[in-house]
Amino acid sequence: MKSRPIVEKNNLHPRNQHRLGYNFEELIAVYPELQNFVMINEHAIETIDFSNPQAVKALNKALLFAYYGIKYWDIPENYLCPPIPGRVDYIHYLADLLASNNNGIIPQGKNVQVLDIGTGANCIYPILGNAVYDWSFVGTDIDEKALMNCEKIIKNNPQLMDAISLQQQIKSRFIFKNIITAEDKFALTICNPPFHNSAEEARKNALRKISNLKLNAKNSDKAVLNFGGQNAELWCEGGELGFIAQMINESVNYPMQCLWFTTLVSKKENLSSLYKILNKVNSAEVKTIDMSQGQKISRILAWTFHSKNQQKNWKFGR
């Protein structure tokens, strides 16, 4: 096989270990099953079929094993299989956000507690945040099956046992309510919100991705499942804007329990409405951090109710 030429992905965070792309020889060495999915594309370069859920899952297993010390990772059929480079980028940018309040030093260790909203079946943000910065996480979701899978991942990776706890959100109309308690002290909340208004909109988006990958019709149904995910992962009433608006309005009730509330925002046109809501709830500071992975452009929206002085005096841990 022809080795993939080393082309640095400058759009990824400077600390992202995946800026040089995938070294399939090294990945196959630690996870031999990946060999079954590596192929040569029309440019005579090693790659995988990213429309094949099993191929993407195998790549993720290899990356998590090689770079993050995860010996076991799996997800149920038809659940979202997250791209590792993009997910860890979010973690790195949040580390920079915390460093901005900490004399430029990234706080590390289990005293840095993070709340992951909608952790899904993959548990990817807690895994990466713990592996890279040793942070501790509470992962929440409305999907019991997803949380059961996360529990299996945690139990099969002993280093995660004391670092990640899980909590089901019983009432789907709430985000922070019934999750954050008066005693909690989260440095961050993190969220990759559902961004479609309906299942049909999610399916159309999947078909657009299929077209971009130039897949044939025979493989389209499998690809839709790969990109589709579960309902709670990709769509909700009100879509991305409605979900984040709810998150902002609820965050008002927990101003001192969290230093920074954050979420991904995939649709740039939603920002103006979200800024208005943040102004209405009297947030002390709002930051928008641009992210880019390949053709996908996204951004992190972060807000806090702490003044500059309160931010500097924040003490990590309970």
Side-chain angles (χ1 to χ4, degrees):
M1 291 185 181
K2 182 177 178 180
S3 298
R4 184 172 183 170
I6 298 176
V7 179
E8 187 169 4
K9 298 180 180 180
N10 295 320
N11 55 337
L12 292 177
H13 190 281
R15 290 193 301 278
N16 195 316
Q17 297 183 80
H18 310 295
R19 285 171 64 91
L20 298 181
Y22 303 127
N23 185 323
F24 284 103
E25 183 177 353
E26 290 183 0
L27 293 173
I28 291 169
V30 299
Y31 188 70
E33 289 85 347
L34 179 62
Q35 177 72 68
N36 299 324
F37 302 100
V38 176
M39 61 184 188
I40 303 295
N41 66 12
E42 65 270 24
H43 304 293
I45 295 172
E46 288 179 311
T47 186
I48 65 167
D49 177 3
F50 284 93
S51 72
N52 181 345
Q54 297 305 315
V56 177
K57 188 185 291 188
L59 175 60
N60 274 8
K61 289 181 178 182
L63 290 171
L64 290 169
F65 190 104
Y67 292 95
Y68 304 103
I70 299 300
K71 306 302 183 185
Y72 169 85
W73 181 88
D74 204 354
I75 54 173
E77 187 177 0
N78 299 339
Y79 276 77
L80 281 180
C81 199
I84 303 298
R87 296 299 192 261
V88 79
D89 244 30
Y90 190 176
I91 297 292
H92 286 308
Y93 280 111
L94 291 188
D96 291 343
L97 178 63
L98 292 183
S100 69
N101 302 134
N102 195 45
N103 298 316
I105 301 170
I106 295 173
Q108 301 190 43
K110 290 181 172 55
N111 281 337
V112 180
Q113 298 178 348
V114 184
L115 177 61
D116 181 18
I117 299 297
T119 198
N122 53 66
C123 202
I124 201 65
Y125 287 125
I127 288 172
L128 297 175
N130 178 256
V132 178
Y133 296 113
D134 196 29
W135 294 344
S136 62
F137 283 78
V138 175
T140 74
D141 208 288
I142 63 173
D143 186 339
E144 184 178 8
K145 183 179 178 180
L147 291 177
M148 289 175 63
N149 193 71
C150 290
E151 184 176 358
K152 186 176 180 181
I153 293 171
I154 293 167
K155 286 183 176 179
N156 282 279
N157 292 281
Q159 75 274 25
L160 302 179
M161 292 288 289
D162 294 329
I164 303 172
S165 62
L166 303 169
Q167 187 172 348
Q168 186 178 6
Q169 172 58 270
I170 303 299
K171 297 185 177 180
S172 60
R173 67 182 183 275
F174 296 131
I175 296 173
F176 298 124
K177 187 176 179 180
N178 304 321
I179 299 295
I180 298 180
T181 70
E183 294 78 25
D184 284 326
K185 194 175 183 185
F186 293 108
L188 299 160
T189 70
I190 187 169
C191 182
N192 185 11
F195 50 86
H196 296 300
N197 290 291
S198 66
E200 179 60 25
E201 183 181 320
R203 179 177 174 82
K204 288 180 179 178
N205 184 67
L207 289 171
R208 281 195 296 271
K209 290 182 179 180
I210 292 169
S211 176
N212 290 338
L213 287 172
K214 299 181 174 62
L215 300 175
N216 58 45
K218 182 176 68 174
N219 295 327
S220 62
D221 287 342
K222 181 188 291 186
V224 166
L225 287 174
N226 183 33
F227 290 121
Q230 299 296 303
N231 290 354
E233 292 180 299
L234 280 187
W235 71 270
C236 67
E237 186 175 351
E240 178 180 79
L241 179 59
F243 189 92
I244 299 176
Q246 174 73 13
M247 186 183 297
I248 293 171
N249 286 322
E250 281 192 39
S251 70
V252 176
N253 299 318
Y254 311 96
M256 295 297 106
Q257 281 99 329
C258 182
L259 178 57
W260 285 100
F261 295 91
T262 83
T263 181
L264 290 179
V265 180
S266 67
K267 298 179 181 179
K268 187 176 182 180
E269 60 268 26
N270 287 337
L271 286 175
S272 59
S273 296
L274 295 172
Y275 292 151
K276 291 177 182 177
I277 299 171
L278 285 164
N279 183 61
K280 186 176 180 179
V281 300
N282 296 318
S283 57
E285 187 175 0
V286 177
K287 292 187 177 183
T288 306
I289 304 165
D290 290 329
M291 295 175 59
S292 176
Q293 296 96 37
Q295 296 180 342
K296 179 176 174 58
I297 298 174
S298 188
R299 68 281 309 157
I300 301 167
L301 179 64
W303 67 97
T304 182
F305 295 98
H306 294 256
S307 66
K308 287 286 190 181
N309 190 52
Q310 288 174 320
Q311 292 172 36
K312 291 180 180 179
N313 292 326
W314 175 271
K315 302 297 182 184
F316 296 98
R318 291 190 177 186

